[in-house]
Amino acid sequence: MAAPLPAPPPSAALVDGFGRAIDYLRVSVTDRCDFRCVYCMSETVTFVPKADVLRLEELERLCRAFIDLGVRRLRLTGGEPLIRPGIMGLIRGLGNLIGAGKLDELNLTTNASRLETLAAELAECGVRRINVSLDTLDPDRFRALTRHGDLTRVLAGIEAARKAGLAVKINCVALKGINEDEYDRIIGWCGERGFDLTLIEVMPLGDSGQQLGPSQFLSLDEVRRRLEQTWSLEPLALRTGGPARYHRIKETGCRLGLITPITGSFCESCNRVRLTATGRLYLCLGREQSVDLRAPLRSTAPEDTAALYAELRRAIAHKPEGHGFAPGTCPPAPAITRPMNITGG
Ligand code: SAM
Ligand code: SF4
């Protein structure tokens, strides 16, 4: 039997300047996507040049360094993570770290366009939970919102994930006048399948301001009040270090998360940072601060882990105290110029 792995020394933990331990890394493995969701990217989006993107082995090396320094949860996102060629190799490599006791969770956020063929392999690689973006159950509305998406294929992907034993959470961006008439239906649909649901306030990122007006911002406080007329929402104490507040929907038994980056305050418990496909580390979704890790990654020999660890610690020290979103900053005046597909949510 293999010898138990030694526990990392306490000094291994990544702690920012405000005393917050960083144990959650989100990795945008590509900024590319097969959809063009209206709130995320424009039809004519320019992607980063392929030459600037880290190779998958480089991404894995960075992820492993973060894990050595105390990251216990990893989420792969994008763009659409499952369209990157070779992605299953990275997922398999990282999934092995769960078996080795070095990582607690490897999750994925996906639009589900490729999930039907990949769900079983994801489960086999150690993925246990996935978040799927689904803003509507109406095929025409889905096509209009995603510009390229095929709802039938996405629903088949979700079903394949369920069959493969993956816990599915549905992410739904709340859009005034676009899908606000559907939340009861989506809650019922999730309830029938045992899926948790998270509603997300649309954030003022990138050029979504040119596509969505301020009138499309919908406060989730308002949504919660409306839902309470139909559903019994029991607040849960569960906190994940992020912007979501959770409720149990008594009628379905499923959880409802409300992500309120605009109207909520959650920064004091933030435990996460975001790595882009080009090796840039964003310290806060709602701030522009970032640190390049590609140059130090490429200039340090793979065996010189100490030098890379030192760079990661230096980067984490730049994490700002809180985000800069405020009510009234929603489109068309984006607070952050970088679009969501760069950091992946
Ligand atoms: N392509 C994958 C997907 O759609 O699930 C992963 C990447 S996507 C950028 C991650 C999440 O960000 C999705 O749930 C999406 O709905 C959300 N998102 C994108 N743009 C947003 C915005 N401007 N405001 C709020 N959420 C946004
Ligand atoms: Fe693609 Fe996800 Fe952005 Fe939609 S939200 S365009 S699926 S990256």
Side-chain angles (χ1 to χ4, degrees):
M1 201 167 71
L5 292 159
S11 59
L14 283 171
V15 178
D16 74 0
F18 301 92
R20 295 169 297 193
I22 306 303
D23 61 6
Y24 183 16
L25 177 68
R26 291 191 176 194
V27 186
S28 173
V29 298
T30 177
D31 66 329
R32 289 170 163 72
C33 189
D34 48 347
F35 291 4
R36 296 286 183 278
C37 300
V38 292
Y39 47 74
C40 181
M41 38 173 112
S42 71
E43 183 77 87
T44 54
V45 56
T46 307
F47 295 115
V48 298
K50 286 205 168 139
D52 291 350
V53 173
L54 292 182
R55 296 190 305 278
L56 288 169
E57 313 83 80
E58 291 176 313
L59 271 176
E60 184 165 344
R61 194 177 144 215
L62 264 182
C63 289
R64 283 176 178 263
F66 273 103
I67 290 164
D68 288 345
L69 293 183
V71 160
R72 300 295 307 180
R73 287 168 65 205
L74 229 147
R75 174 174 297 281
L76 303 185
T77 172
E80 174 46 40
L82 294 180
I83 67 165
R84 177 153 180 184
I87 189 64
M88 293 310 297
L90 176 68
I91 294 175
R92 197 166 286 279
L94 294 171
N96 286 338
L97 300 177
I98 300 177
K102 292 185 169 189
L103 189 64
D104 293 335
E105 280 185 22
L106 174 62
N107 301 327
L108 206 79
T109 303
T110 176
N111 65 20
S113 67
R114 303 273 169 100
L115 203 50
E116 191 176 8
T117 48
L118 295 176
E121 194 178 348
L122 286 170
E124 190 207 311
C125 288
V127 174
R128 293 287 166 264
R129 298 193 295 134
I130 52 164
N131 289 358
V132 177
S133 302
L134 184 68
D135 305 321
T136 174
L137 287 168
D138 178 282
D140 295 333
R141 204 178 261 186
F142 187 81
R143 172 78 67 185
L145 269 174
T146 60
R147 296 200 186 97
H148 296 277
D150 173 0
L151 182 63
T152 308
R153 204 161 143 197
V154 164
L155 295 181
I158 294 173
E159 182 55 21
R162 201 170 65 91
K163 283 200 178 128
L166 298 173
V168 176
K169 179 164 77 68
I170 300 296
N171 279 348
C172 173
V173 176
L175 297 162
K176 201 178 187 77
I178 296 183
N179 65 0
E180 62 182 318
D181 56 342
E182 274 198 76
Y183 307 142
D184 288 327
R185 181 178 175 205
I186 294 174
I187 288 176
W189 182 87
C190 285
E192 285 161 18
R193 290 159 181 80
F195 300 162
D196 289 338
L197 169 69
T198 294
L199 294 172
I200 306 173
E201 276 177 358
V202 69
M203 283 174 258
L205 297 177
D207 61 3
S208 55
Q210 287 148 34
Q211 301 152 62
L212 298 176
S215 54
Q216 256 98 57
F217 175 74
L218 181 58
S219 154
L220 290 186
D221 276 344
E222 188 184 329
V223 172
R224 185 181 38 78
R225 278 193 293 275
R226 281 192 224 159
L227 292 179
E228 278 169 346
Q229 292 171 13
T230 310
W231 309 95
S232 318
L233 304 183
E234 231 172 45
L236 295 174
L238 175 75
R239 296 293 301 274
T240 58
R245 298 284 179 274
Y246 293 93
H247 297 78
R248 175 81 54 204
I249 306 171
K250 265 194 175 168
E251 290 80 357
T252 68
C254 297
R255 277 199 305 230
L256 174 70
L258 301 175
I259 298 196
T260 55
I262 308 293
T263 57
S265 162
F266 49 85
C267 302
E268 67 290 345
S269 59
C270 185
N271 60 352
R272 61 200 60 189
V273 289
R274 295 168 166 87
L275 181 66
T276 72
T278 61
R280 191 156 272 284
L281 189 71
Y282 280 91
L283 286 317
C284 171
L285 188 61
R287 294 278 181 194
E288 299 283 13
Q289 274 106 330
S290 67
V291 177
D292 174 43
L293 294 179
R294 186 178 55 190
L297 178 80
R298 289 187 171 166
S299 64
T300 52
E303 58 281 5
D304 188 3
T305 45
L308 188 57
Y309 294 167
E311 291 295 340
L312 300 194
R313 287 185 201 288
R314 250 196 295 278
I316 293 296
H318 286 89
K319 188 168 166 63
E321 188 170 12
H323 70 66
F325 296 132
T329 63
C330 49
I336 298 290
T337 52
R338 135 182 66 80
M340 188 68 115
N341 63 311
I342 299 292
T343 48

